[in-house]
């Protein structure tokens, strides 16, 4: 399969590099500045599993003329509209569009643009970011991709894609219940982003203060209630996993949203916290801690925009 990875940031850069290292046919769609950086330094990955570097195939939007078999979309939510316009020529009749963005809102945008038949559901669990030199830095050992048909059972194309992505550095799973998986990730991320941004601290530091653990699980309960009312009650195994995740003493875990705040960048707050809160309102569910976290990051965004202007 010919794969087009949209961008070469934390998500696309990491997963795309792993497939290239295993011999896959991968091209990265990048902007001019990132293209020059990659030509100069290569695509470098710093990982707990071992560092590596490679010289990737890159392309810019003006040169994109033909369809690919797979388009892997891992951009930030606020960049999706622009990205869709750029990679549209790569989407043919049989192209699989695999988004691994955070949240859920992007699924509707992609299906409206390219048709439901082309769009898979997907999620990624990897803690990574770009450093000042443009290297992809994996902060923790997790490195999972889960995907599947939004409606219907596992398909031959999904199983073929699973085989393609089953390479060192990626734990891949084709799912028969991808919307359930995505909702559970949405709950986890809303909790993690909400509490670490609100407290401006890692999970370990939050656990070290009075009422820290209770605050985490109050927010977790609010998000679980929204998922349940939406028809996707979190499964027992997921709840147990997150209970351990959120009670690990001295954990350095923090949401990428908080990392964005720490470096003064734009966040995906409305795509994640805002969307979860809006769904709660429409369902008549009270989410006071989620609402406070949303307001906190929204106030940061107002200040950031004021400073920029």
């Amino acid at each position: 399969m010919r794969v087009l990875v949209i961008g070469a940031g934390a998500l696309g850069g990491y997963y795309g590099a792993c497939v290239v290292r295993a011999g896959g046919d991968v091209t990265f769609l990048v902007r001019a500045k990132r293209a020059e950086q990659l030509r100069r330094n290569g695509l470098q990955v710093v990982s707990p599993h071992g560092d590596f570097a490679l010289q990737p195939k890159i392309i810019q939007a003006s040169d994109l003329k033909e369809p690919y078999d797979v388009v892997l979309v891992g951009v930030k939510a606020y960049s999706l509209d622009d990205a869709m316009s750029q990679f549209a020529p790569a989407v043919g009749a049989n192209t699989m569009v695999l988004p691994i963005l955070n949240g859920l809102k992007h699924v509707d945008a992609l299906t409206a643009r390219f048709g439901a038949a082309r769009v898979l559901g997907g999620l990624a669990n990897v803690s990574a970011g770009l450093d000042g030199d443009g290297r992809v830095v994996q902060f923790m050992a997790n490195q999972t991709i889960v995907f599947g048909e939004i409606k219907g059972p596992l398909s031959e194309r999904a199983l073929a894609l699973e085989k393609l992505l089953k390479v060192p550095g990626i734990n891949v799973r084709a799912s028969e219940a991808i919307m359930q998986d995505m909702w559970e990730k949405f709950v986890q991320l809303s909790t993690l982003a909400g509490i670490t941004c609100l407290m401006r601290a890692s999970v370990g530091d939050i656990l070290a203060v009075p009422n820290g653990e209770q605050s985490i699980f109050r927010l977790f309960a609010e998000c679980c209630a929204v998922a349940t009312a939406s028809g996707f009650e979190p499964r027992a195994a997921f709840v147990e996993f997150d209970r351990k995740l959120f009670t690990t003493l001295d954990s350095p875990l923090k949401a990428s949203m908080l990392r964005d705040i720490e470096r003064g960048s734009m966040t995906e707050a409305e795509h994640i916290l805002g969307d979860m809160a809006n769904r709660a309102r429409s369902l008549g569910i009270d989410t006071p801690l989620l609402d406070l976290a949303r307001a906190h990051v929204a106030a940061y965004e107002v200040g950031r925009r004021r400073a920029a202007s």
Side-chain angles (χ1 to χ4, degrees):
M1 292 184 182
R2 297 175 66 243
V3 180
L4 181 69
V5 176
I6 309 307
L11 286 180
Y14 177 76
Y15 289 116
C18 289
V19 177
V20 173
R21 181 176 58 171
D25 184 355
V26 178
T27 302
F28 295 84
L29 176 64
V30 294
R31 298 180 185 277
K33 183 177 179 181
R34 182 61 166 154
E36 176 56 32
Q37 188 177 50
L38 291 171
R39 289 190 188 100
R40 184 174 62 251
N41 302 324
L43 179 53
Q44 302 179 55
V45 177
V46 179
S47 169
H49 302 284
D51 303 347
F52 65 96
L54 48 86
Q55 196 63 48
K57 289 197 297 185
I58 57 177
I59 193 169
Q60 294 181 253
S62 59
D63 298 320
L64 198 58
K65 307 296 184 184
E66 59 185 8
Y68 284 71
D69 300 304
V70 181
V71 175
L72 180 67
V73 187
V75 300
K76 292 287 190 178
Y78 48 75
S79 300
L80 181 61
D81 286 346
D82 185 43
M84 287 192 295
S85 296
Q86 291 188 354
F87 71 73
V91 180
N94 299 312
T95 300
M96 287 182 278
V97 179
L98 172 56
I100 51 173
L101 286 73
N102 292 321
L104 293 173
K105 287 180 67 177
H106 59 276
V107 173
D108 290 338
L110 287 164
T111 54
R113 180 67 183 265
F114 300 113
R118 295 183 180 87
V119 180
L120 300 172
L123 62 90
N125 281 312
V126 63
S127 180
L130 290 185
D131 68 8
D133 296 321
R135 300 182 304 172
V136 177
V137 180
Q138 187 183 7
F139 303 115
M140 301 179 72
N142 54 315
Q143 49 193 23
T144 301
I145 287 183
V146 182
F147 61 88
E149 301 290 349
I150 293 176
K151 294 181 180 179
L154 282 179
S155 60
E156 288 187 9
R157 67 176 186 171
L159 292 172
L161 183 55
E162 181 184 47
K163 183 177 180 180
L164 173 75
L165 296 175
K166 192 171 287 186
V167 300
I170 304 178
N171 299 324
V172 62
R173 177 171 62 87
S175 172
E176 293 183 311
I178 190 60
M179 290 307 297
Q180 178 72 38
D181 296 319
M182 291 176 70
W183 260 102
E184 289 173 351
K185 171 72 184 297
F186 191 25
V187 166
Q188 181 188 82
L189 182 59
S190 296
T191 302
L192 180 63
I195 202 65
T196 60
C197 289
L198 187 59
M199 302 291 284
R200 298 289 179 98
S202 67
V203 167
D205 289 345
I206 295 168
L207 291 171
V209 303
N211 295 312
E213 182 178 328
Q214 294 91 326
S215 297
I216 293 173
F217 285 102
R218 286 192 191 104
L219 179 52
F220 184 63
E222 290 177 7
C223 296
C224 284
V226 179
T228 299
S230 300
F232 297 94
E233 180 179 2
R235 294 166 290 194
F238 164 79
V239 173
E240 179 60 24
F241 178 88
D242 270 23
R243 185 162 296 280
K244 292 179 180 178
L245 182 72
F246 293 137
T247 55
T248 301
L249 299 179
D250 300 320
S251 170
L253 182 63
K254 58 176 71 171
S256 59
M257 191 181 298
L258 177 55
R259 297 187 192 279
D260 290 337
I261 290 174
E262 290 172 340
R263 63 173 175 264
S265 300
M266 184 184 295
T267 73
E268 294 180 302
E270 278 305 295
H271 183 75
I272 299 167
L273 302 178
D275 187 35
M276 182 68 83
N278 289 339
R279 291 171 190 267
R281 296 291 80 73
S282 68
L283 294 163
I285 298 171
D286 191 29
T287 53
L289 202 52
L290 175 65
D291 293 344
L292 182 60
R294 177 192 193 181
H296 178 85
V297 185
Y300 155 79
E301 291 284 8
V302 170
R304 185 190 62 81
R305 288 192 294 270
R306 182 185 299 113
S309 63

